[in-house]
Amino acid sequence: MRKHYKKKRYFKKRKTTFLGRAEKALTAKYVGRRSNFMPDKSLNKMVYHDDTVFRTNNGNSFVTWSIRMNDVYDPDPNLASGGLSGFAEIGAIYGRFTVLGFKYDIKLTNSNNFPINVAACYTPNGIVAANWANFNHAAPEQPGARTGVISASTEANVVHWKGFIRMRDVLGTKQAEMNTSYSGYGTGSSPSLFVGWLMGGWSGVIGNNFGASAGIEQSATYTFYTAWWERETLNG
C-alpha cells in the first residue's frame, strides 16, 4: 500500500532588528512605495559617531554634555559637527526634514581612580541641569532615561547603554511631525526648537574633579530616523 507523506516546509527565523515595531511603523509610513523612485516623503537613517573625553574644571565634580536629538544638520553644535553624511544629497531633493526617532548606543568609561555617577535623559529646548541633585531627580522621570555608577578605573569601569526614543513620546502625539518649529530645512538650517539628549557625570566628592589626565571617555553612536518632505522640482 502506497503511503502518502506531507512535505514539511522549514523556514529560517528572521533576525529581528533592534528597533522592532517602532522602526517598522516609521518605515511603513514614510518610506513610500518601492516602485516610486522619488516619493513625496522619504524616511532616511543618518548616523553620527562621537568619541571624546569629558572633564571638569579644578574643584568641580559635575560635568554635563548633550546632543540635539532632532537635528541632523548640526547635532553637536559645541563641536561644530555640521551636517551628517548624506544630508546635502538628500537636502537637494527635499526641502524639509523632521527627526521622528533617535537611537543611542553609548559606552562610558571611567579613567579616574574614584567612582562616578552617570545619567542620561531627554531635555526640552537644550535645558542643562545646574547640579547633580537637580539632574539625578529629574532624569528618571523622562522617557528613555538611564542612570548608573561607573567603578574606578582599576575595577569594572564601563557602562553600556542602548535605547530608542520616538519624538512623539517626548513631545506629545504627532507634535514633532506637525509642528514645523521642530523641523529643519534641507538647505542647511536647524530647527528653531531643539530636543536634547543630556548626559552628566558626578564624582560625589567636591575636589574629585576629572583631571587633565583622566575623565569620562565616551564612545557613542547616534542614529537619527528622519522624515523628509516638500520634494523639490527637478528640471531635466
Side-chain angles (χ1 to χ4, degrees):
M1 183 175 180
R2 188 174 182 181
K3 294 183 178 180
H4 298 277
Y5 296 94
K6 290 184 178 180
K7 294 182 179 180
K8 293 184 178 180
R9 295 182 179 180
Y10 295 91
F11 298 91
K12 290 184 178 179
K13 187 177 180 181
R14 285 188 175 183
K15 292 183 179 179
T16 57
T17 61
F18 177 74
L19 299 183
R21 292 182 179 179
E23 182 183 31
K24 291 179 180 178
L26 291 179
T27 303
K29 184 176 181 180
Y30 285 94
V31 80
R33 296 178 59 186
R34 292 182 181 273
S35 60
N36 192 345
F37 178 66
M38 289 181 58
D40 293 333
K41 293 181 180 180
S42 177
L43 180 73
N44 293 274
K45 290 193 295 185
M46 295 186 172
V47 179
Y48 177 61
H49 300 283
D50 186 17
D51 297 327
T52 188
V53 178
F54 297 94
R55 302 183 177 94
T56 65
N57 298 324
N58 292 335
N60 189 353
S61 63
F62 179 58
V63 61
T64 61
W65 61 99
S66 62
I67 290 290
R68 291 173 174 173
M69 296 169 60
N70 65 325
D71 187 7
V72 291
Y73 171 65
D74 192 12
D76 193 353
N78 293 326
L79 298 178
S81 54
L84 300 186
S85 177
F87 180 90
E89 291 77 5
I90 301 174
I93 302 175
Y94 297 95
R96 297 188 73 96
F97 71 86
T98 294
V99 177
L100 302 177
F102 172 80
K103 183 172 74 171
Y104 59 88
D105 186 338
I106 306 169
K107 183 179 291 185
L108 300 176
T109 303
N110 180 13
S111 57
N112 299 279
N113 59 4
F114 47 82
I116 295 176
N117 297 275
V118 288
C121 68
Y122 145 79
T123 177
N125 301 328
I127 297 176
V128 178
N131 52 62
W132 176 256
N134 293 341
F135 188 22
N136 194 35
H137 288 140
E141 300 176 0
Q142 304 298 341
R146 308 298 295 266
T147 58
V149 178
I150 315 178
S151 301
S153 59
T154 56
E155 304 169 23
N157 60 330
V158 177
V159 297
H160 192 183
W161 292 333
K162 291 183 178 182
F164 174 74
I165 299 176
R166 295 187 301 180
M167 293 298 108
R168 60 184 293 179
D169 292 338
V170 297
L171 298 176
T173 303
K174 294 187 178 181
Q175 184 174 356
E177 303 170 38
M178 304 302 294
N179 190 340
T180 56
S181 297
Y182 291 100
S183 65
Y185 290 89
T187 54
S189 177
S190 296
S192 57
L193 294 178
F194 296 112
V195 184
W197 178 247
L198 178 65
M199 290 163 283
W202 180 63
S203 69
V205 179
I206 297 297
N208 277 358
N209 58 293
F210 315 137
S213 59
I216 302 175
E217 301 175 8
Q218 174 188 262
S219 178
T221 299
Y222 303 104
T223 304
F224 300 82
Y225 287 75
T226 59
W228 293 76
W229 75 99
E230 290 188 3
R231 187 179 64 184
E232 302 289 347
T233 301
L234 302 180
N235 297 319

